[in-house]
Amino acid sequence: MRPSLKRFLADESGATAIEYGLIVAAISVVLVTALVAIGQDMSGKFEAVEAAFPD
């Protein structure tokens, strides 16, 4: 029983998977934030172009 318990406590593969998951989540948050900011900026530019054309 002891060798299997030591092997279980030494196993770090689950911790690595969690770390990769956290990295992916952080990258996703940065990408979504950047895309929202770019989308809002582009929306303003499209509105300016639309306003430049007469009805």
Side-chain angles (χ1 to χ4, degrees):
M1 177 83 175
R2 282 193 167 215
S4 61
L5 181 60
K6 284 183 181 180
R7 198 171 39 236
F8 175 74
L9 293 175
D11 185 15
E12 296 183 3
S13 61
T16 303
I18 291 171
E19 290 169 355
Y20 283 131
L22 290 173
I23 291 169
V24 168
I27 291 171
S28 299
V29 168
V30 169
L31 283 174
V32 167
T33 303
L35 291 174
V36 167
I38 290 171
Q40 289 173 347
D41 185 47
M42 291 301 293
S43 176
K45 292 190 185 307
F46 281 120
E47 288 173 4
V49 169
E50 181 185 7
F53 286 101
D55 286 334

